[in-house]
């Protein structure tokens, strides 16, 4: 359970953590602290940004929308200045997930905030929302969670263990306001158009969700809250949202005819513009998913992010569970992964200072060592391409988009030619870090080609920029000519990307020839 108090109550900065949600309609900031194994909320901030309003048909985010977002980030930076960097997570959702010029916004944000911004997938967003609700309010049965955002609407179905079904649909209050309720006009025809499009979005997922079933439906987000509040004004004895009540609200809105004329308690100027789209989306969800009633819960993505940060601090990282699930599903050779992992650890500890690698870099290498052969069940030829495809397109709970892309790229180039021009352009992981990580993974896989325990001798490595020196026991390579040939080939491949792999034994052999 999350308990709320004031920011002044916090006297222990070391225990504080913050989650920031860069949504399509609003930016949210939440600060909490760990009190004897319990999360205690200290402070909340919310600023209207309406990023989705600045996303055009070509998926280009306007300069005005960027400026609105960056202005809010400046305010957040002041709030976050005393919180350690490893205790802050900033999550970006629909609009920054979709915009083609997101990299421009992220580069400018880097000058304002000293914390990385993680762009997450729609399914990952739905998972965080479910986790936020599940840890805010306990429920024993299966539960459907719906969150209407500015650019997308997330659905999650699960139980007390976790989510079982996740989906993100491209329908949101801000985008639907501009498309169906432009200039604030309200009519039955506009409502019907919005509802039909929302139903089309839901058509592909409705069957699976209804087959799994649930005992409770929950709505989160400000849009659901204001609808719930307006319905309570009409029927105080009925706290749950029902389809009949939504129909009545729709007719009241149509009879008023324009958002400027909406004058109800608690309905702010920005919510006036978003009310009709939210009602239309909610009606479509009720109709397509056969929802009987829904109640509101005041917890969502940011609370889910906080809870996961809390778990990571207590060595419960869902990303490791994701890797283990992949290993089991694709029947990966655990013993070989362990051998490669041990070699990576040995090399990493010897080069991390020279190459300025940190704990997160070590985690990426560790995960890559667990799944680099995931594509083996498809075909051993081109295994690196099969493995990368699976990792790039799979749902990987706990991983943001860049981490997933990096993991796929690491696996894609763990053998054969290393093509730097085919590496994705990363915001969180600069290329001068990615290449050393690839070198470590490639070398660990290569050195364990025999797939045998206690075969590889103790390794000694020395690193410098764009160079790795490998030292093996005298005469050992002479007894393994195939590995010697492969190491020479690896030297040539790395040289093409301006990286030098040196080994005294290899140099000696070349001199002898």
């Amino acid at each position: 359970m999350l308990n709320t108090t004031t920011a002044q109550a916090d006297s222990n900065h070391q225990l504080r953590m913050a989650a920031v949600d860069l949504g399509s309609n609003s930016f949210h900031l939440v600060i909490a602290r760990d009190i004897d194994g319990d999360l205690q909320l200290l402070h909340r901030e919310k600023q209207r940004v309406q990023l989705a309003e600045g996303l055009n048909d070509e998926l280009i985010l306007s300069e005005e929308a960027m400026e609105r977002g960056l202005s809010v980030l400046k305010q957040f930076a002041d709030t976050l200045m005393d919180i350690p960097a490893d205790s802050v997570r900033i999550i970006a959702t629909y609009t920054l997930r979709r915009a083609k010029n997101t990299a421009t916004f992220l580069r400018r944000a880097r000058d304002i905030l000293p914390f990385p911004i993680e762009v997450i997938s729609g399914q990952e967003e739905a998972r965080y929302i479910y986790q936020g609700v599940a840890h805010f309010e306990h429920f024993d049965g299966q539960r459907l969670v719906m969150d209407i955002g500015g650019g997308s609407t997330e659905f999650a179905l699960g139980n007390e263990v976790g989510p079982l079904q996740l989906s993100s649909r491209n329908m949101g209050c801000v985008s639907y306001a501009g498309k169906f309720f432009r200039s604030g006009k309200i009519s039955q025809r506009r409502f019907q158009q919005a509802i039909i499009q929302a139903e089309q979005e839901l058509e592909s997922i409705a069957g699976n969700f209804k087959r799994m079933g649930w005992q409770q439906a929950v709505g989160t987000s400000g849009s659901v809250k204001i609808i719930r509040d307006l319905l309570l004004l009409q029927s105080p004895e009925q706290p749950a949202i029902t389809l009949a009540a939504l129909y009545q609200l729709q007719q009241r809105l149509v009879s008023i005819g324009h958002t400027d004329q909406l004058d109800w308690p608690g309905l702010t100027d920005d919510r006036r513009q978003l009310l009709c789209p939210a009602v239309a989306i909610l009606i479509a969800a009720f109709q397509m998913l056969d929802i009987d009633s829904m109640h509101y819960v005041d917890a969502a993505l940011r609370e889910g992010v906080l809870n996961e940060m809390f778990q990571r601090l207590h060595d419960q990282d869902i990303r490791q569970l994701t890797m283990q699930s992949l290993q089991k599903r694709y029947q990966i050779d655990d013993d070989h992964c362990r051998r490669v992992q041990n070699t990576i650890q040995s090399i990493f500890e010897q080069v991390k200072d020279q190459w300025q690698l940190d704990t997160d870099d070590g985690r990426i290498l560790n995960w890559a060592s667990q799944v680099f052969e995931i594509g083996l069940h498809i075909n051993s030829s081109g295994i690196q391409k099969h493995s990368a495809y699976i990792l790039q397109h799979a749902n990987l709970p706990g991983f943001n988009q860049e981490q997933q892309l990096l993991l796929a790229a690491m696996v894609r180039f763990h053998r054969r030619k290393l093509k730097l021009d085919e590496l994705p352009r990363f915001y969180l992981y600069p290329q001068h870090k990615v290449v050393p990580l690839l070198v470590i993974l490639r070398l660990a896989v290569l050195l364990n080609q025999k797939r045998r325990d206690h075969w590889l001798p103790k390794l000694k490595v020395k690193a410098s920029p764009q160079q790795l020196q490998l030292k093996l026991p005298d005469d050992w390579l002479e007894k393994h000519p195939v590995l010697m040939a492969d190491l020479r080939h690896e030297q040539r491949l790395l040289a093409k990307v301006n990286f030098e792999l040196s080994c005294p034994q290899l140099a000696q052999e070349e001199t002898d020839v």
Side-chain angles (χ1 to χ4, degrees):
M1 183 68 68
L2 298 176
N3 301 314
T4 306
T5 183
T6 62
Q8 286 75 21
D10 179 38
S11 61
N12 191 340
H13 288 188
Q14 283 70 37
L15 296 176
R16 291 198 300 169
M17 60 190 75
V20 179
D21 168 12
L22 307 186
S24 296
N25 184 44
S26 303
F27 285 4
H28 298 259
L29 180 152
V30 181
I31 297 176
R33 64 175 178 174
D34 179 357
I35 300 293
D36 297 327
D38 189 24
L39 267 181
Q40 183 184 67
L41 293 186
L42 302 171
H43 178 68
R44 292 178 184 267
E45 290 184 27
K46 174 187 175 183
Q47 294 288 340
R48 180 191 178 202
V49 178
Q50 288 200 300
L51 274 188
E53 193 177 72
L55 194 64
N56 65 20
D57 293 340
E58 286 73 42
L59 300 180
I60 300 298
L61 191 60
S62 69
E63 176 62 26
E64 293 78 12
M66 285 195 191
E67 285 295 335
R68 291 197 299 270
L70 294 171
S71 176
V72 173
L73 291 185
K74 289 179 183 177
Q75 299 176 47
F76 285 0
D78 183 64
T79 303
L80 296 170
M81 64 183 301
D82 293 328
I83 300 180
D86 59 357
S87 295
V88 176
R89 288 193 70 190
I90 304 176
I91 303 297
T93 57
Y94 175 83
T95 301
L96 292 176
R97 181 164 66 235
R98 296 272 289 171
K100 293 180 180 178
N101 56 338
T102 292
T104 301
F105 179 85
L106 295 179
R107 282 196 298 269
R108 293 167 66 178
R110 185 185 292 156
D111 296 331
I112 297 171
L113 277 174
F115 313 105
I117 296 175
E118 305 176 50
V119 181
I120 61 172
S121 69
Q123 282 197 319
E124 189 68 354
E125 183 177 356
R127 186 184 68 83
Y128 278 126
I129 291 165
Y130 185 87
Q131 296 288 61
V133 170
H135 288 86
F136 182 89
E137 182 182 273
H138 178 75
F139 184 72
D140 290 328
Q142 291 199 167
R143 171 163 46 190
L144 173 70
V145 177
M146 177 182 180
D147 185 291
I148 304 175
S152 63
T153 297
E154 278 63 48
F155 295 86
L157 192 157
N159 52 33
E160 66 274 11
V161 176
L164 304 171
Q165 191 82 13
L166 300 168
S167 182
S168 177
R169 313 313 296 169
N170 292 335
M171 52 186 194
C173 291
V174 177
S175 55
Y176 269 39
K179 186 170 185 178
F180 299 108
F181 300 94
R182 190 179 299 276
S183 303
K185 295 180 180 179
I186 308 171
S187 68
Q188 189 66 32
R189 182 180 61 85
R190 290 169 182 265
F191 253 110
Q192 196 59 30
Q193 288 175 335
I195 291 170
I196 289 174
Q197 178 151 335
E199 289 181 338
Q200 289 175 320
E201 280 286 338
L202 293 170
E203 192 172 15
S204 63
I205 70 166
N208 283 339
F209 274 79
K210 287 193 290 186
R211 273 191 294 273
M212 296 186 73
W214 58 85
Q215 290 76 52
Q216 181 193 59
V218 168
T220 72
S221 80
S223 295
V224 174
K225 181 179 185 299
I226 194 64
I227 290 172
R228 190 277 313 265
D229 291 346
L230 292 176
L231 294 180
L232 278 175
L233 290 175
Q234 184 74 17
S235 303
E237 74 286 352
Q238 175 56 272
I241 301 170
T242 65
L243 185 56
L246 289 172
Y247 286 151
Q248 291 176 2
L249 179 57
Q250 177 190 352
Q251 293 310 312
R252 290 175 63 195
L253 291 166
V254 170
S255 67
I256 293 172
H258 200 284
T259 56
D260 289 346
Q261 304 303 315
L262 300 179
D263 188 20
W264 292 326
L267 191 61
T268 59
D269 289 340
D270 59 317
R271 283 295 168 192
R272 285 192 185 95
Q273 309 301 319
L274 305 181
L275 178 59
C276 290
V279 171
I281 291 170
L282 204 52
I283 287 174
F286 268 67
Q287 293 179 162
M288 291 296 290
L289 297 174
D290 296 337
I291 299 172
D292 295 323
S293 65
M294 174 181 288
H295 80 273
Y296 173 74
V297 170
D298 188 24
L301 182 145
R302 45 208 168 271
E303 285 79 13
V305 173
L306 276 175
N307 180 71
E308 191 156 292
M309 291 175 64
F310 178 77
Q311 291 178 334
R312 288 184 186 181
L313 288 174
H314 292 80
D315 296 322
Q316 298 173 9
D317 195 332
I318 190 174
R319 293 172 295 183
Q320 184 54 43
L321 296 177
T322 297
M323 292 296 101
Q324 292 171 0
S325 176
L326 288 174
Q327 286 184 304
K328 182 178 181 180
R329 177 180 178 184
Y330 292 96
Q331 298 181 325
I332 296 173
D333 185 344
D334 294 339
D335 290 335
H336 187 52
C337 290
R338 174 182 46 77
R339 286 187 286 266
V340 172
Q341 190 175 359
N342 289 340
T343 302
I344 284 175
Q345 183 66 27
S346 174
I347 297 173
F348 182 82
E349 290 299 324
Q350 296 179 68
V351 304
K352 63 181 182 180
D353 292 336
Q354 293 88 339
W355 283 348
Q356 297 182 328
L357 303 178
D358 55 30
T359 303
D360 285 339
D361 300 319
R363 289 194 186 102
I364 288 288
L365 280 169
N366 183 44
W367 295 325
S369 72
Q370 296 176 62
V371 293
F372 72 95
E373 288 192 330
I374 195 173
L376 189 60
H377 78 289
I378 299 176
N379 199 317
S380 59
S381 177
I383 179 179
Q384 71 279 8
K385 296 180 181 179
H386 302 316
S387 298
Y389 182 86
I390 292 172
L391 291 171
Q392 184 173 343
H393 297 283
N395 176 34
L396 302 184
F399 288 84
N400 62 51
Q401 284 189 325
E402 279 217 2
Q403 288 171 339
Q404 185 163 353
L405 275 177
L406 176 57
L407 191 59
M410 295 273 292
V411 169
R412 167 67 179 85
F413 295 110
H414 83 270
R415 65 195 288 262
R416 305 282 176 87
K417 293 181 180 179
L418 179 52
K419 301 175 182 178
L420 297 185
D421 58 333
E422 294 185 12
L423 284 174
R425 296 187 66 179
F426 296 110
Y427 157 73
L428 299 175
Y429 302 96
Q431 186 168 294
H432 73 265
K433 265 197 172 187
V434 174
V435 172
L437 294 178
L438 275 166
V439 170
I440 294 173
L441 176 62
R442 289 169 67 93
L443 192 57
V445 173
L446 183 60
L447 290 171
N448 285 282
Q449 60 181 233
K450 289 285 188 181
R451 307 178 82 96
R452 284 163 45 190
D453 288 332
H454 313 301
W455 175 74
L456 193 64
K458 185 176 181 180
L459 300 176
K460 291 184 179 181
V461 295
K462 184 182 293 186
S464 58
Q466 293 297 107
Q467 184 182 46
L468 182 70
Q469 184 183 81
L470 171 66
K471 183 172 176 55
L472 294 165
D474 293 339
D475 302 327
W476 187 83
L477 268 182
E478 292 182 10
K479 300 173 184 177
H480 303 94
V482 174
L483 176 59
M484 182 184 295
D486 287 341
L487 282 170
R488 283 184 179 148
H489 183 59
E490 183 68 6
Q491 279 183 320
R492 294 190 289 271
L493 292 177
L494 293 180
K496 291 180 180 180
V497 295
N498 298 316
F499 193 97
E500 181 184 351
L501 172 64
S502 64
C503 179
Q505 289 85 350
L506 292 179
Q508 182 61 46
E509 288 295 323
E510 290 174 347
T511 302
D512 292 344
V513 172

